[in-house]
Amino acid sequence: MNKSLTRSIGFWLLIVLSLATGAVGGWLVNSQLTRMTTTILDGTATGVEVYVGQSLAVLGSALIGAGVLGILIALALVAVRSIIPAAAPAPLEPIDWSTPAADAPLDEAAERTTAAEADPEVVDESAPVTDPAADADSELADTRRS
C-alpha cells in the first residue's frame, strides 16, 4: 500500500499526542516550581508543597522528555519516508472503442435467464432428473440395522 505519511492517522496522532504530552509536562514543571519558589521565599512552605512539588516536577520533566521523544520519532519517520522511493503507478491502457465487445457468451446467458423468468414452466434440461421415491428407497437399503 502506497500511502502518504501526511494522510496517516497514526502519524498525526503521534505528533498531536507528543505535543500535548510535552505541553502538560511543561505546565506541570512550571506550576510546581513557581509554587515551591513562592512558598519557600515567603517562609510559608510546608513539607507537602516542597516534597510533593519536587515529585510532580520530576513527573513533568518525564512528560516533557516523552513529548520530545515522540517528536523525534515523527521526524525520523518523515526522514525514512523521504528516503524510500514511492512506487511508480501502473500505466493504464487506453480503451479502444472501435472494436466490438466480446460479450456474446454473457448475452446468451442473459437471454436464457430472461426466457426462464418469462416462462416459469420451462425446465432446465441440463439439470439431472432425480426421483425422490427412488432416493428414499436407496437410503433405506443402505442403512444397516444392528
Side-chain angles (χ1 to χ4, degrees), residues 58-132:
V58 170
L59 175 67
S61 63
L63 289 175
I64 291 172
V68 168
L69 183 63
I71 294 296
L72 290 176
I73 290 172
L75 289 173
L77 282 173
V78 169
V80 167
R81 185 66 184 166
S82 67
I83 292 173
I84 297 173
L92 298 176
E93 296 179 12
I95 298 174
D96 186 13
W97 294 103
S98 63
T99 60
D103 294 338
L106 294 178
D107 291 338
E108 290 173 11
E111 288 176 10
R112 265 190 261 131
T113 305
T114 55
E117 290 172 355
D119 188 14
E121 299 282 330
V122 175
V123 178
D124 187 12
E125 296 170 4
S126 63
V129 178
T130 59
D131 183 20

